[in-house]
Amino acid sequence: MGDVVQLRDFRFEEEISLRTIQTDALVPVEFGVGLADRQQCLLKIAELGIRRVEVHQLKGQSGASLCMMSINDAIWLNKKLLECEELSDAEIAERIDLIQMLENSNPSMLEAMWKAFTVQYSVAAFQAD
């Protein structure tokens, strides 16, 4: 007649694809690193070895741009900062809160938001010194 389909055979693949979708969502580097100064953020990103930053230009505003990084890179960076840097208790709490916000973000909503008011301008790749 027909073959029996086991749903558990398909569930694992779907979970992987959902994780992949989340890795592609972007956030501004200032948010991802947790610093207000873009230059400091880019220095910290390069120092820790993250190689990909996308520059998005704001629609209708020449010269206005956002530097974006992936959510997974931002989470990894903040975990690395918790491991490697001497932080105060308040800074540790802020980093943990930031990691939790990033982990609980809605990638499809973020993607739609960035597409609504930005255009991808370029992808910057940092070179190791």
Side-chain angles (χ1 to χ4, degrees):
M1 206 156 150
D3 293 333
V4 175
V5 176
Q6 298 292 328
L7 292 178
R8 70 175 174 258
D9 295 337
F10 298 98
R11 191 171 299 138
F12 185 71
E13 291 175 22
E14 188 172 327
E15 289 173 359
I16 290 173
S17 66
L18 289 175
R19 280 188 223 125
T20 303
I21 290 170
Q22 184 166 1
T23 63
D24 293 337
L26 300 173
V27 292
V29 294
E30 294 88 349
F31 180 72
V33 178
L35 299 171
D37 184 343
R38 182 181 293 178
Q39 288 303 101
Q40 285 182 322
C41 292
L42 294 174
L43 289 172
K44 188 61 71 180
I45 286 169
E47 174 186 322
L48 291 175
I50 294 173
R51 302 270 185 239
R52 184 178 173 92
V53 173
E54 292 185 16
V55 179
H56 289 238
Q57 187 172 13
L58 297 178
K59 291 180 181 177
Q61 296 183 18
S62 62
S65 63
L66 289 174
C67 290
M68 311 283 275
M69 66 188 302
S70 77
I71 288 175
N72 269 2
D73 283 346
I75 291 169
W76 179 87
L77 180 137
N78 281 286
K79 287 179 178 180
K80 198 69 168 169
L81 290 174
L82 284 172
E83 290 174 14
C84 299
E85 292 194 358
E86 300 263 341
L87 302 172
S88 69
D89 289 344
E91 291 170 322
I92 290 171
E94 287 175 12
R95 292 270 169 220
I96 291 170
D97 288 345
L98 181 55
I99 291 168
Q100 289 175 337
M101 281 190 288
L102 290 164
E103 289 175 338
N104 293 319
S105 64
N106 183 334
S108 58
M109 182 194 72
L110 287 171
E111 183 180 341
M113 182 175 64
W114 303 133
K115 284 183 179 179
F117 65 90
T118 68
V119 176
Q120 184 175 343
Y121 179 67
S122 67
V123 176
F126 294 103
Q127 300 296 323
D129 291 334

